[in-house]
Amino acid sequence: MTQFVNKKPINKKQKPQVSHGIAFITATYNNTKIAIADLKGNILIWSTSGKLGFKGPRKSTPYAAGIVAKEIIEKAKEFGLRQVEVQVKGIGQGRESAIRTLNNMGISILSIKDVTSMPHNGPRPRKPRRV
């Protein structure tokens, strides 16, 4: 029976220290997603209301968005995050609540930008009906 005497301890990967980041908030009719990235765009943390156990129509509520933002902030403190630029996309109910929760929990918001896509001309119209 062989024993391993010189077994090296496995080092955990250290989390990068980021003091400034970008918060992407996507608020749809059915869900609210929040992701935090560094300034290069690499995602550090993400969470959704569905991931936290909300189901059905409760996923898109402002309460669920606030809970998602609280979880994101708890994880972001491990990275040393203090300032974020917020980019909001979508027209769901949780967009205001998520921004307010980020601000109230001690993360300073430098700017808020709405990046919701706008239809420029819409889809091609139907062809006329022949009777």
Side-chain angles (χ1 to χ4, degrees):
M1 185 176 207
T2 59
Q3 290 185 347
F4 296 102
V5 178
N6 296 333
K7 200 171 190 182
K8 292 183 181 179
I10 299 171
N11 293 337
K12 277 191 169 182
K13 186 177 178 184
Q14 288 186 340
K15 296 187 178 185
Q17 292 300 307
V18 179
S19 64
H20 185 85
I22 306 170
F24 298 100
I25 300 173
T26 307
T28 64
Y29 287 124
N30 296 323
N31 206 348
T32 303
K33 306 174 207 173
I34 301 176
I36 294 192
D38 59 6
L39 292 178
K40 294 178 183 174
N42 301 322
I43 300 292
L44 304 172
I45 316 158
W46 67 273
S47 186
T48 66
S49 55
K51 182 181 171 187
L52 294 180
F54 291 96
K55 293 185 179 179
R58 294 189 313 179
K59 286 196 300 186
S60 61
T61 60
Y63 175 72
I67 299 295
V68 172
K70 281 182 186 175
E71 186 199 348
I72 285 287
I73 292 167
E74 290 170 6
K75 290 181 181 178
K77 294 203 176 181
E78 297 174 6
F79 289 94
L81 192 71
R82 284 183 245 111
Q83 299 175 335
V84 291
E85 298 172 12
V86 178
Q87 290 188 8
V88 185
K89 183 185 251 185
I91 52 176
Q93 299 172 354
R95 56 188 277 157
E96 294 273 332
S97 177
I99 294 170
R100 286 176 200 248
T101 306
L102 283 174
N103 193 23
N104 292 340
M105 295 293 288
I107 302 281
S108 64
I109 296 177
L110 300 177
S111 67
I112 300 173
K113 186 177 180 183
D114 190 2
V115 292
T116 306
S117 57
M118 297 283 290
H120 49 85
N121 201 10
R124 184 175 173 213
R126 294 179 67 172
K127 55 185 182 177
R129 186 171 167 234
R130 290 182 284 202
V131 183

